[in-house]
């Protein structure tokens, strides 16, 4: 393994972690752009597969970066991307937690948050679009995406049931 | 283990209780761990009131990073200082990290098995739908608020990132100040 790759992964994900307003889902398109189009670490299909695995596993959804790191540089890569993605936000929040009550009700704080919310929503919608373009190769796949979105939005069915159903449709060769 | 930390409440949970609680939160959370964090910390263990939870959570949403990971750090530090923060963080992230690594290794080993590829293709299609539903749920208050500038920002971010594919840093640098300015203009 090239030693430079770990440093590259670290830099990429350190920067990304500080842009993750709205959580991990908001930076999915950037991870995808970087991993597939810019750095050529994996194909569209591999990225979509890894994302599906991360969503169907328990735990915080930030673990997509663990899988990307593993795919690129094995266990060391997984450790580096996960630590880089969690490190800066955890440090910020640890120190901000001590002074939060001082500026929680400040006008600037409320305005900044009000401004960031629509940006994050647009980014998460963009993540759905980017992933759909990577994953949906035929109209049945598009239907599965739309049906899952509708079910998840309107019902409280556990996501694992949706993954099981979609996985079976895939196994049957329909997706 | 349960050594007293000056700024933590006297009846605060021990480090091992914290670790087990965040382990349980982590392993029950599929596609969103937040509801499980609330159930554990507020409803089941009563370590925090609902008001305290939403106060801490607003901080976690305000700063970048995964909300629930941020929450584990702030909550842990409120209970047991820096060691509490570390214990909650590793309880939440450690075990799923191991699970995902195992699945990643299996994927790397069996990626060329055709049946596995078909199953994953189906699951990937479903995963996109889950994210779309998350975006729709987050957008509900915005849709109700009739703040049209906000819809414009959502659309601009979606187009720039989702359809055109511009790099995120530039899009954020352009859109975030604009959006904050519009929020200010609306409430001036």
């Amino acid at each position: 393994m090239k030693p430079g790759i770990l440093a590259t992964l670290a830099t990429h994900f350190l920067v990304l972690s500080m842009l993750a307003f709205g959580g991990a889902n908001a930076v999915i398109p950037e991870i995808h752009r970087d991993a597939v189009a810019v750095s050529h670490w994996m194909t569209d299909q591999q990225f979509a597969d890894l994302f599906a695995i991360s969503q169907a596993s328990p735990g915080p959804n930030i673990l997509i970066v663990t899988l990307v790191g593993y795919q690129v540089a094995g266990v060391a890569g997984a450790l580096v991307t996960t630590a880089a993605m969690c490190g800066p936000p955890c440090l910020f929040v640890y120190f901000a937690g001590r002074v939060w009550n001082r500026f929680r009700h400040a006008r600037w704080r409320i305005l900044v948050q009000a401004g960031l919310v629509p940006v994050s929503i647009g980014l998460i919608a963009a993540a759905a679009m980017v992933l759909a373009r990577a994953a949906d190769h035929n109209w049945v796949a598009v239907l599965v995406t739309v049906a899952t979105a509708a079910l998840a939005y309107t019902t409280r069915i556990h996501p694992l049931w949706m993954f099981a159903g979609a996985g079976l449709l895939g196994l049957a060769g329909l997706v | 283990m349960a050594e007293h930390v000056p700024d933590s409440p006297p009846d605060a949970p021990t480090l091992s209780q914290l670790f087990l609680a965040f382990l349980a939160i982590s392993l029950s959370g599929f596609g969103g761990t937040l509801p499980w964090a609330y159930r554990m910390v507020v409803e089941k263990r009563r370590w925090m009131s609902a008001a305290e939870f939403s106060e801490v959570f607003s901080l976690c949403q305000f700063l970048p990073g995964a909300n629930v990971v941020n929450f584990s750090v702030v909550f842990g530090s409120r209970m047991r200082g820096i060691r509490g923060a570390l214990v909650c963080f590793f309880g939440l992230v450690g075990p799923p990290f191991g699970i995902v690594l195992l699945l990643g290794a299996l994927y790397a080993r069996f990626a060329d098995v055709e049946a596995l590829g078909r199953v994953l293709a189906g699951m990937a299609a479903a995963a996109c739908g889950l994210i779309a539903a998350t975006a729709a749920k987050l957008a509900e208050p915005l849709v109700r608020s009739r703040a049209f500038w906000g819809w414009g920002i959502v659309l601009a971010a979606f187009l720039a990132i989702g359809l055109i594919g511009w790099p995120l840093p530039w899009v954020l640098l352009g859109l975030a100040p604009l959006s904050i300015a519009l929020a200010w203009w609306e409430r001036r």
Side-chain angles (χ1 to χ4, degrees):
Chain A
M1 189 176 60
K2 288 166 280 177
I5 192 74
L6 290 180
T8 310
L9 283 174
T11 336
H12 281 225
F13 284 92
L14 280 172
V15 172
L16 207 60
S17 77
M18 294 184 255
L19 303 178
F21 293 99
N25 286 340
V27 290
I28 292 289
E30 185 68 7
I31 300 175
H32 171 268
R33 194 181 72 85
D34 200 18
V36 177
V38 180
S39 303
H40 302 291
W41 285 327
M42 59 190 73
T43 64
D44 241 1
Q45 185 62 56
Q46 283 173 315
F47 187 86
D49 286 351
L50 292 181
F51 183 73
I53 294 171
S54 79
Q55 288 286 300
S57 318
N61 52 17
I62 204 136
L63 293 168
I64 174 66
V65 308
T66 309
L67 284 170
V68 170
Y70 182 79
Q71 182 79 14
V72 177
V75 176
L79 280 168
V80 164
T81 53
T82 311
M85 196 66 190
C86 295
C90 286
L91 279 178
F92 293 158
V93 89
Y94 178 78
F95 289 107
R98 294 156 172 253
V99 291
W100 180 235
N101 278 326
R102 248 180 272 162
F103 61 96
R104 187 176 153 221
H105 297 291
R107 189 174 147 75
W108 68 265
R109 208 283 301 167
I110 292 163
L111 288 179
V112 167
Q113 190 143 20
L116 288 177
V117 164
V119 180
S120 320
I121 296 171
L123 293 179
I124 296 170
M129 188 66 199
V130 165
L131 288 163
R133 289 209 291 194
D136 294 352
H137 301 298
N138 57 44
W139 65 269
V140 183
V142 175
L143 259 171
V144 168
T145 299
V146 173
T148 313
L151 278 178
Y153 184 72
T154 56
T155 72
R156 299 191 60 179
I157 299 174
H158 199 288
L160 277 187
W161 290 112
M162 303 183 203
F163 280 123
L168 281 176
L169 284 176
L171 187 63
L174 293 169
V175 180
Chain B
M1 193 109 181
E3 184 192 319
H4 186 66
V5 177
D7 55 3
S8 66
D11 55 347
T14 63
L15 291 177
S16 49
Q17 282 175 322
L18 287 176
F19 183 83
L20 291 175
F22 276 81
L23 175 71
I25 291 169
S26 182
L27 296 183
S28 6
F30 286 85
T33 333
L34 170 67
W36 297 99
Y38 184 85
R39 244 168 267 180
M40 175 67 79
V41 165
V42 178
E43 292 174 353
K44 207 166 154 197
R45 298 290 161 81
R46 298 177 191 276
W47 286 332
M48 258 185 177
S49 67
E52 281 173 301
F53 184 90
S54 71
E55 179 233 309
V56 168
F57 203 73
S58 65
L59 165 67
C60 301
Q61 285 179 306
F62 180 65
L63 293 178
N67 295 337
V68 72
V69 177
N70 285 353
F71 178 77
S72 72
V73 170
V74 182
F75 176 79
S77 78
R78 292 254 168 124
M79 296 294 125
R80 290 262 162 217
I82 181 122
R83 287 190 299 168
L86 286 169
V87 158
C88 291
F89 172 82
F90 281 105
L92 183 76
V93 176
F97 176 85
I99 293 172
V100 126
L101 216 54
L102 185 71
L103 293 174
L106 289 173
Y107 175 73
R109 171 76 181 73
F110 297 108
D112 47 355
V113 174
E114 211 239 329
L116 176 68
R118 291 203 305 256
V119 170
L120 281 174
M123 287 171 58
C128 313
L130 289 179
I131 298 288
T134 304
K137 281 180 194 162
L138 288 172
E140 274 174 5
L142 189 67
V143 171
R144 276 198 301 271
S145 78
R146 304 170 59 84
F148 296 106
W149 64 271
W151 304 5
I153 295 289
V154 170
L155 192 66
F158 176 77
L159 289 176
I161 298 282
L163 291 180
I164 308 174
W166 279 333
L168 179 67
W170 300 117
V171 174
L172 274 183
L173 218 55
L175 272 186
L178 174 66
S179 189
I180 293 165
L182 288 168
W184 170 80
W185 173 78
E186 186 201 24
R187 290 152 203 233
R188 76 198 183 283

